[in-house]
Amino acid sequence: MKLIGSRILLAALTLLIVSLLVFAAMEVLPGDVASRILGRDATPETLEALRLKLGLHDPAPLRYLHWLEGLVSGDLGRSPVSDRPVTEIIGPRIWNTLLLSLYAFILYLPLTVIPALLQAIRRDRPLDHAFSVVTLVPVCFLRLEATP
């Protein structure tokens, strides 16, 4: 249980760091969110109205904390493109995502656990070495391909 708890905490921390990095990357892009949404043809009045609506006059850390607070409370906000709630947009797709994850997990278990158990049972025997070669050779080739 301790391992599962630590893994869940690490996953949550990773998601928090990734969201912070994406938010920071969006902040350093030229222009602001309002000008990116409305485009070059937007009038100063429409830009200002959208900035007020999105709260873009607040400091960036405060906007991130407001977003994080909404995320924790289940309010993912509204899509700036379609002006619909984000939960309404991603809600119908959650079921398909969960099914795909379940199928991947079902395939993952026998393809990893069974060879690992056989290797543990037949440690330092030909079967163990064969599985090691079969699993390590593709990793070596992938690393060679990735090397510039």
Side-chain angles (χ1 to χ4, degrees):
M1 290 305 285
K2 185 178 177 182
L3 176 68
I4 292 171
S6 67
R7 295 293 175 142
I8 290 172
L9 284 175
L10 282 174
L13 181 63
T14 302
L15 289 173
L16 179 70
I17 291 170
V18 168
S19 73
L20 189 59
L21 289 174
V22 169
F23 183 84
M26 294 300 291
E27 286 296 311
V28 298
L29 287 175
D32 64 352
V33 174
S35 60
R36 286 193 292 271
I37 291 172
L38 295 176
R40 293 182 184 178
D41 299 331
T43 64
E45 294 82 20
T46 57
L47 283 171
E48 187 60 29
L50 187 58
R51 285 184 185 118
L52 284 172
K53 180 181 176 185
L54 297 177
L56 296 178
H57 292 297
D58 295 337
L62 186 61
R63 288 196 319 267
Y64 179 76
L65 288 175
H66 284 304
W67 174 81
L68 198 58
E69 179 184 305
L71 178 69
V72 170
S73 67
D75 178 18
L76 300 180
R78 298 185 74 77
S79 167
V81 176
S82 66
D83 200 36
R84 291 174 34 210
V86 172
T87 52
E88 188 180 290
I89 295 169
I90 65 172
R93 293 164 177 88
I94 292 291
W95 180 248
N96 290 339
T97 302
L98 290 174
L99 279 177
L100 183 61
S101 299
L102 178 66
Y103 293 148
F105 187 69
I106 289 170
L107 286 173
Y108 166 81
L109 278 179
L111 293 174
T112 57
V113 174
I114 293 171
L117 287 173
L118 291 173
Q119 280 186 283
I121 293 169
R122 304 284 187 193
R123 185 174 177 199
D124 291 329
R125 294 195 180 136
L127 184 63
D128 176 30
H129 297 298
F131 275 129
S132 293
V133 168
V134 167
T135 57
L136 290 176
V137 167
V139 172
C140 292
F141 281 121
L142 289 175
R143 287 193 181 193
L144 287 176
E145 274 185 20
T147 307

